[in-house]
Structure formats: structure tokens, C-alpha cells
Amino acid sequence: GVRVAYVSVTCDHLRRTGQYNVQRCKGSGKAPYQRCSSQDSLDEQAMVDYFKEVEIIQRSGDAETQEDLQLKVADEGEQEEAWLMEAGLATLFDESASDGEDSIVLLSTLTRTQAAAVERRVETLKQTLRKRNKPYSVPDVREIFKPSPASQSKVRDAHKTTHQCWNGAGPDTPGGGADAETDINLEVSFSEQALIYKEGLKVTQPQNEADDRLPDFRVSQDKTGQTRVGDLSAEDMKKVRRLVLIEMSALFDTCGIEVKAHKALKVKVRESGLFGVSLSTLLEQDQRRILGTKVPLILQHLISHIEEQGLDTEGVLRIPGAATRVKAVCHELEHKFYEGMFPWESLKQHDAASLLKLFIRELPYPLLTVEYFNAFISVLKLPTKKQQLQALNLLLLLLPEPNRDTLKALMEFFQRVTDHKDRNKMTLNNVAVVMAPNIFMCKGFRSKISEQQEFAMATGTANIVRLLVRYQNLLWTIPKFVLNQVRKHNMENQRKMNRDRAVKKLLKKMAYDRERASDKQEKNTEAEGGFIRVQAPQFSMVSMAIQLTEDLKASDVLTRFLSQERSLSVKREDLCLYEMGGNIKERCLDEETYIKAVLELNPSAEWVIKSVQH
């Protein structure tokens, strides 16, 4: 009775405020939302909490404290042009673009579905220019992607591998038997897998799961190691981002989902302070105080305070702090935080949680970015939960580094909150429904969708937050097929450099390369003799030789190093073995990586131990 009464009150309030068009409210006994059959079921009480959170946000009035973000939908052709530029393919519509050679190399690494995504945008741009009666120099896409016999063979091989994986038989499991619904294949392009699914080679739909009972997806053990966000050099991450943009678009294209990107028109925002300040401005302020800061210090302090005092507090994220007190604390933080004068010991846990949510809502640009906001919303249109996770994985890699690092810190915190659910009564569903409005009710987007659309977003956005929290061990990684494309890109660039060595300004470098080649020949001789040479230039031990065996892992190399460098002040968890050179610029290896497997993938790699900053 209490629950139905509250639902009725919520419906009346939302109708009065004009926020939602609710069709069934009083006396229905139903939660005030409509479920989509393709989405997971969230229970009635969970959605009541969602609308209660919406009311709290509306009452707080923080949405009126600054100008709404002004959004603009790209004109016809403008979106395709911006996409090609972001993908590093500007040369396909602008012959004067400076990255022509690099574009050609990038195109040579694409799969058939990725190439189709590029073709589609080039053709759309070409048609737009033709309509405008403008001269254009967009090349014929049939010439760009003219298939060679070798590439056609690769497509057939990829098709076969994908077919095997969808049917539970991967390359390492000849007899099959694996549960293909819960196995994540990172070696084949996600859009290629979606195409096979679409062609009918896999027709069973996964069952919807209610409450916190989501399937346990697993990734098969890869001897070359898992590559997490932050493990690659900035140079290689730039290539990753371009390839991921193409792959993400190819995945949505393959599934027949059109995603319109918005552009943000500049609005006047605060240039200093804590709340209502852009992430880039916040981090500039923070890095002047603590070098290398990646997550805003105010957010770090709020999370730490809640974890120290309130993880066992019932309803820690659900029950709001007193509005007047939260407003006063916010004002006090603005004046005392950086001076170290704020009395953290007096801050109540529910107030701290309300401040954390306020911080997210007050960002002048959404945490998920204006550009990819609609893509995040569209994730649940994908037909299977596996494809939804794959799309989220790609979207997280596309986020700017400050947004990605901040979102990651939040999701890890939410996971720790749910770890204490027996005491704080905050299950995965509870956390998802109270945080979804704070993450997705962004300034500017409210006016761009209808009331019914906004209402329908309730369960969808809560489900997206559920996936982000539940599967973060899978989502914050770089798929192996993308990394392999980066390796191929680097190899092609090296070949081009080798062809250009006759240029006069490279003569000096050639002499240096000859010396290095001599050293490398010596190193290769070591490897052929069953040893690798590991360097540690940051420490007193310059290098050491380690016997190469089938079972040698990165963890074994670090153990050997620590046994010889006993006076180190660096902790074991702050050390990493890096794969450097060859077809990768720099990659931090996880401790379960098999060295021989990486050496087979990158024969020219060098091995370096360095300290890392967490």
C-alpha cells in the first residue's frame, strides 16, 4: 500500500511539473514506467527510487544556477566530415590534409565491416557536396577499398573464426562446448561478429535477467596478456581511438542503428572553483598542486570520505542530505578546499553523497560528453547483451582521458558501495537507479527530447549504469583485435620509413640504426639461445639476462628483478614490465602475460622494467 501510494504521489508530482507524460498512475498498482522487452527488468521499488531521485534533483534547483548547454545537430554532410577528420581520414575529402600517408596506412588495417563504415560516410559526404553543387575531390570508395586476393582470404578466415566463436568453438577449443552466449571474443572485430549474428549463424536470444542477476561473461585466457586503459603510450592510444571510432560506427551500422551526434555550442562557464567547472579546468588547478592528477581532487576527497565513514551507512547514495546544509557545505568547500581548511570530520555521509552527485550534475559538459551521449543512450538498442557490452567497451575508449579517468573512478567506487550491500542496503540496482538521473539528466539534453522519450529513458539509463558497474573488469580494456590493428599500422609505418631512408636528413639516424641493429642482432642471438635481456634503466641494475621458457610470465621477470634489487623503495605493485619497440611503441604487460607469446607477436620487442604511477 505504501509503495503504490508513493507511486501515485510521484505520478501526480511529475504530471504537475510537466516533466513526464505518464499514462497509468493512480490506482494502477504499476510502477510509473513502461518496460521495453529488450531491456532487463528493474523491480517496481527500484524505479520508485529513480523518480524520487528525479524529484530531489528538481527540488535542488542546481539546474538553474547556470546557463543550459546549447546543443546543435550537425548539418547534412557536416557530421560525416567531422567523423572522417576524427578517424584520421581527412585526406579522403581534403587532398591538402597533412596526414595523407598515414590515412593510407590506417585504411590498410581495416576489416570489411570497418571499411563499409568508412565507405558509407564518404558516399554520404559526396552526395551532400553534389546536392550543394560544390566541386569535390572525394575519391571513389571502390578505388579506396579495392580488395586484394590476400585481403579476401583474410575476410574468409575471419568469417570462419567468428562463426566458430559464435557456436562455442574458439581457436583453442577444437571440440567447442563453451557457452558462446557468455564467452567474450576479443580477437575478432565486434562488428564482424555482429554481422555473423545478423546473417543468422546464431539465432538464439539471451534471456533477460532481473535484479542483480546478470550473466557472468568471461574472456578466454590470452597468453599475450590483457591490455588495460592506460597501458599504452599516447602515440599508440591515438591510433586506438581512431580505430575504435571506426569500429564503433561499424557495429551500430551493422545492427541498423543510426546515431546522431550533437555538437556543443560554447557557453559561459566558471573558470575556477569546484562545482560547475569543466574537467579540464579542474585538472589544471589540481595538477598545479599535485603533479599527475588524473581525477579531480574534490571528487577523490568526497569518495575517500564516504569510504572511510559511510560504506556501511544504510542508503548511503539513496537518502539525500538536508538541502540547505548541502548548499552551505558546497559554498564552504569552494572557499576552503584548496587551503586545506575544510572540516571534513564534520561532514555527514549523506551530505557527502549529495555533494558527489551535485558535482556530476553541475559539470558544464556531460561526463559522457556531448558527442557520444546519444551513442551511450543507443547501446540498449543492440540485440544482445554481449553486443551492448562490446559497444560500451568501445565508447569508453572514445571518451577524452579526463572523462574516462573520472568515470572509471566513479564506477569503481559504486562497485565498492555494492560490496557492502548487506549493511548499506545498496544493491547494484539501487546504485544504478539513483545514479542514472545524475549522470544522464544533463543540461541542454532535457530540451532536446520529448517528455515521453525522457520517461522511457528511465529504465534504459539505469540499465546502462548497471552494465558499467557490473562489467568494469571487461569494459576498461583494449580488445586484442584493435591492438593487432595498431601493430599492423606501426609495421606499415616502419616499412615506409625504411623506404625513405635515402633522405639526406636521415643519414645520421641510419648510422645510429646500424649500431642498434648490431646490438639487436646480439639480443636476437640471446633469444635464440634461450635468453631475453631485461633492462631497468631507472634502477641501479642496467640489465639482466633471463632464460626464456614456455611458462615464463611477466610476474616471473619482476620476481627475479626484485630478488636482485633488494634495496628498492618501490613497491612490487608499482613496478611493470614493458614491451617496447618493434610493432608497438610501449605496452605495460599484466603479470599473467607469457613472454614467449609476446615475442612471437613482436620479435623485435625490448623488455624494460619501470615504475608506474597509479
Side-chain angles (χ1 to χ4, degrees):
V2 173
R3 182 181 303 173
V4 173
Y6 182 78
V7 170
S8 180
V9 171
T10 303
C11 290
D12 285 343
H13 171 81
L14 294 175
R15 188 185 287 113
R16 286 196 305 273
T17 58
Q19 289 298 312
Y20 297 97
N21 181 13
V22 182
Q23 295 177 348
R24 296 188 302 178
C25 288
K26 286 188 178 180
S28 68
K30 299 290 185 181
Y33 66 95
Q34 294 176 324
R35 292 192 181 103
C36 173
S37 59
S38 65
Q39 295 175 357
D40 290 335
S41 172
L42 287 163
D43 64 34
E44 182 180 294
Q45 183 58 49
M47 294 317 299
V48 167
D49 289 339
Y50 180 96
F51 291 113
K52 186 177 180 181
E53 186 69 22
V54 171
E55 286 189 80
I56 292 167
I57 293 171
Q58 291 170 343
R59 284 201 306 266
S60 72
D62 59 87
E64 300 172 1
T65 59
Q66 60 175 311
E67 185 182 353
D68 264 8
L69 180 64
Q70 299 299 307
L71 302 176
K72 181 178 183 293
V73 177
D75 296 332
E76 188 179 9
E78 191 178 7
Q79 181 167 310
E80 286 74 22
E81 191 172 315
W83 186 94
L84 288 165
M85 287 184 66
E86 192 177 352
L89 298 172
T91 188
L92 294 184
F93 66 88
D94 181 3
E95 290 179 341
S96 64
S98 59
D99 58 351
E101 289 293 331
D102 194 56
S103 294
I104 294 171
V105 173
L106 177 63
L107 291 170
S108 71
T109 70
L110 302 186
T111 66
R112 58 175 173 167
T113 46
Q114 292 171 351
V118 175
E119 287 182 33
R120 181 183 180 190
R121 282 149 185 84
V122 170
E123 283 297 322
T124 301
L125 179 58
K126 199 192 261 188
Q127 291 168 14
T128 303
L129 293 174
R130 190 180 291 121
K131 285 178 187 176
R132 295 175 185 169
N133 293 320
K134 286 188 177 182
Y136 59 89
S137 58
V138 179
D140 193 313
V141 291
R142 289 171 294 184
E143 292 299 319
I144 299 172
F145 296 108
K146 198 170 184 178
S148 65
S151 65
Q152 289 177 327
S153 175
K154 287 178 183 177
V155 166
R156 286 193 297 270
D157 291 344
H159 192 284
K160 183 178 178 182
T161 304
T162 311
H163 188 183
Q164 288 177 332
C165 292
W166 272 113
N167 286 277
D172 300 324
T173 55
D179 182 5
E181 293 293 356
T182 55
D183 281 357
I184 300 290
N185 175 19
L186 299 178
E187 297 196 21
V188 177
S189 157
F190 295 156
S191 53
E192 290 284 338
Q193 295 181 44
L195 183 60
I196 301 301
Y197 185 95
K198 186 178 179 180
E199 289 173 350
L201 297 179
K202 191 69 181 176
V203 294
T204 57
Q205 291 279 354
Q207 295 298 311
N208 291 334
E209 298 290 340
D211 198 42
D212 294 347
R213 297 184 295 276
L214 291 169
D216 290 324
F217 286 97
R218 60 182 183 180
V219 178
S220 57
Q221 182 66 37
D222 179 10
K223 289 193 169 186
T224 61
Q226 186 182 62
T227 306
R228 296 152 300 194
V229 169
D231 283 350
L232 293 182
S233 67
E235 187 177 325
D236 282 338
M237 273 306 295
K238 185 178 179 181
K239 296 184 180 75
V240 165
R241 199 171 183 281
R242 289 176 172 179
L243 288 162
V244 164
L245 173 63
I246 297 170
E247 172 64 13
M248 185 271 290
S249 302
L251 178 57
F252 280 108
D253 286 356
T254 302
C255 296
I257 300 169
E258 186 173 5
V259 179
K260 286 288 185 184
H262 283 99
K263 293 195 307 180
L265 302 179
K266 287 189 176 181
V267 294
K268 189 175 181 180
V269 298
R270 298 182 63 193
E271 296 180 358
S272 63
L274 300 176
F275 297 87
V277 182
S278 70
L279 282 176
S280 58
T281 300
L282 271 173
L283 290 174
E284 284 175 12
Q285 292 175 173
D286 294 345
Q287 287 166 1
R288 287 197 290 267
R289 292 163 174 85
I290 301 178
L291 195 64
T293 301
K294 293 189 173 184
V295 176
L297 293 176
I298 179 60
L299 184 62
Q300 291 187 45
H301 276 74
L302 288 170
I303 288 173
S304 296
H305 182 74
I306 297 170
E307 290 189 338
E308 287 170 7
Q309 306 291 333
L311 281 184
D312 290 336
T313 302
E314 186 169 341
V316 61
L317 291 176
R318 184 177 67 248
I319 300 173
T324 54
R325 193 168 61 229
V326 169
K327 189 174 182 179
V329 172
C330 179
H331 182 76
E332 190 175 6
L333 273 168
E334 290 279 7
H335 290 85
K336 296 182 178 179
F337 176 72
Y338 283 124
E339 283 68 37
M341 302 295 289
F342 181 78
W344 287 98
E345 66 281 355
S346 64
L347 180 61
K348 298 180 183 296
Q349 299 312 304
H350 292 301
D351 291 352
S354 292
L355 286 165
L356 181 143
K357 291 188 281 189
L358 178 66
F359 171 82
I360 299 168
R361 293 197 306 272
E362 281 286 86
L363 288 172
Y365 300 99
L367 189 57
L368 303 181
T369 72
V370 170
E371 187 176 7
Y372 299 115
F373 192 87
N374 283 338
F376 275 97
I377 296 291
S378 300
V379 161
L380 292 178
K381 294 179 183 177
L382 292 162
T384 71
K385 186 161 271 65
K386 186 187 293 187
Q387 289 176 1
Q388 292 167 12
L389 288 178
Q390 290 169 339
L392 282 176
N393 183 193
L394 298 171
L395 283 167
L396 292 178
L397 293 174
L398 282 174
L399 291 177
E401 194 171 339
N403 299 64
R404 190 171 62 225
D405 291 338
T406 301
L407 183 65
K408 188 172 188 290
L410 278 171
M411 295 304 140
E412 289 171 346
F413 166 61
F414 297 155
Q415 179 61 61
R416 293 191 290 274
V417 170
T418 63
D419 288 343
H420 290 248
K421 63 184 177 184
D422 291 340
R423 290 180 177 271
N424 61 31
K425 310 303 180 188
M426 295 297 297
T427 65
L428 176 59
N429 280 358
N430 296 144
V431 170
V433 295
V434 298
M435 292 311 304
N438 292 282
I439 294 172
F440 284 94
M441 285 185 67
C442 301
K443 302 179 190 307
F445 282 92
R446 301 186 189 113
S447 59
K448 293 295 179 181
I449 60 176
S450 69
E451 293 170 3
Q452 286 185 326
Q453 285 175 318
E454 190 174 6
F455 183 81
M457 281 174 61
T459 51
T461 55
N463 272 309
I464 292 169
V465 176
R466 284 208 310 165
L467 297 178
L468 288 172
V469 177
R470 174 69 172 80
Y471 297 110
Q472 52 192 300
N473 288 339
L474 299 175
L475 294 175
W476 301 97
T477 60
I478 299 170
K480 186 177 180 179
F481 74 88
V482 174
L483 190 61
N484 285 344
Q485 287 180 289
V486 172
R487 291 184 187 277
K488 182 179 178 183
H489 194 164
N490 288 337
M491 286 174 64
E492 293 296 329
N493 278 336
Q494 285 176 6
R495 289 193 186 102
K496 179 183 174 297
M497 277 186 62
N498 290 340
R499 289 194 298 268
D500 295 343
R501 279 188 178 179
V503 179
K504 188 175 181 180
K505 65 180 180 180
L506 294 179
L507 289 176
K508 187 176 180 181
K509 184 178 183 302
M510 286 177 60
Y512 175 73
D513 285 344
R514 280 195 293 271
E515 292 177 15
R516 291 294 299 273
S518 175
D519 294 341
K520 192 167 288 185
Q521 185 176 6
E522 184 180 333
K523 288 169 188 165
N524 289 341
T525 304
E526 279 185 337
E528 290 169 7
F531 289 88
I532 61 167
R533 182 157 295 279
V534 180
Q535 303 173 59
Q538 284 186 347
F539 308 101
S540 59
M541 180 181 294
V542 177
S543 67
M544 62 180 178
I546 296 180
Q547 187 170 8
L548 182 64
T549 64
E550 292 287 340
D551 298 328
L552 181 68
K553 296 181 182 180
S555 58
D556 301 323
V557 175
L558 293 174
T559 299
R560 169 78 179 275
F561 173 72
L562 287 169
S563 69
Q564 298 188 29
E565 287 277 331
R566 295 178 182 174
S567 61
L568 281 179
S569 58
V570 181
K571 296 178 182 178
R572 164 67 179 263
E573 57 265 29
D574 293 332
L575 288 176
C576 183
L577 177 65
Y578 284 81
E579 167 199 359
M580 300 183 71
N583 54 35
I584 208 79
K585 183 73 174 177
E586 177 179 292
R587 181 169 80 111
C588 178
L589 304 178
D590 77 64
E591 294 203 2
E592 292 302 306
T593 303
Y594 287 81
I595 303 303
K596 192 168 184 181
V598 178
L599 197 57
E600 290 171 356
L601 197 61
N602 188 5
S604 301
E606 297 180 3
W607 314 95
V608 179
I609 293 174
K610 296 196 293 185
S611 61
V612 294
Q613 181 184 21
H614 294 291

